[in-house]
Structures are given as C-alpha cells and as structure tokens.
Amino acid sequence: MNAEPGKGAEFDAVVDALRAVIQEQKENLREIDRLSEASFRLWLNKVAGRIAEMACVPLAHVKAFVDDLSAIAAHMVEKGKRSYRDAYHKARRVPPPPAR
C-alpha cells in the first residue's frame, strides 16, 4: 500500500497525548471547582461572623438562618424547573384525533 512506515504509530502517539491533555484539563477543572466552593464557604463563614457581631446574635443563629434561606432557594429553583417541565410537556402533547 501507499502508507509510510511509522505513520500509524505517530498518529496513535498524538491521539494518546491529546487524551492525556484532555484528562488533565478535566482534573484541573474539578480541582478549581472544589477550591472555589471551599473559598466561597470560607467567605460566607466570615460574612456570617461579621453579621453575628454587628447584630449581637450567636453565630449559630446566623448560620441556621443562612441554611434556611439556601434550602428555600433550592426548593424554589427545583419547583420552577418542575413547573417549566410540566408546562412544556403539556404544550407539546398532541391531542388525539377526533372520533369518526
């Protein structure tokens, strides 16, 4: 055939190198997400501490309030998604043909 010797091996090496780079990129993005979440939690804890100091209430009360708000927000988002999905499916439903 017209294939040059070694071309297949070079292509396989390039594909393997690309797979390794893509896998490394995925791992780096996971690490960034993990660090971002930890950083956000630290910031939120500091803000909750400041609010507790200014309002002269225990930090546990502020944390409980923030937890309640986050649970309410998560529930609202989930309910909104569910309502949208139900309305979408209702709108997409094809009515049965008329009886003859």
Side-chain angles (χ1 to χ4, degrees), residues 80-95:
K81 286 180 181 179
R82 191 173 37 243
S83 296
Y84 175 81
R85 185 175 53 244
D86 292 346
Y88 177 80
H89 287 300
K90 186 177 178 182
R92 297 291 294 175
R93 191 171 300 139
V94 177

Side-chain angles (χ1 to χ4, degrees), residues 10-79:
E10 289 176 12
F11 180 76
D12 291 341
V14 168
V15 169
D16 290 340
L18 283 174
R19 283 187 185 134
V21 167
I22 291 170
Q23 185 62 31
E24 184 179 345
Q25 179 68 14
K26 286 180 183 178
E27 291 171 7
N28 288 341
L29 289 175
R30 275 190 230 117
E31 183 70 13
I32 288 170
D33 283 344
R34 189 183 63 77
L35 291 174
S36 295
E37 184 176 340
S39 175
F40 176 72
R41 289 182 186 274
L42 287 173
W43 173 82
L44 189 59
N45 195 27
K46 283 182 182 180
V47 169
R50 288 180 185 165
I51 290 172
E53 285 177 8
M54 290 187 323
C56 297
V57 295
L59 182 59
H61 285 35
V62 174
K63 286 185 177 182
F65 181 71
V66 169
D67 288 343
D68 288 346
L69 287 179
S70 64
I72 290 168
H75 179 70
M76 285 175 40
V77 168
E78 189 59 36
K79 188 172 182 174

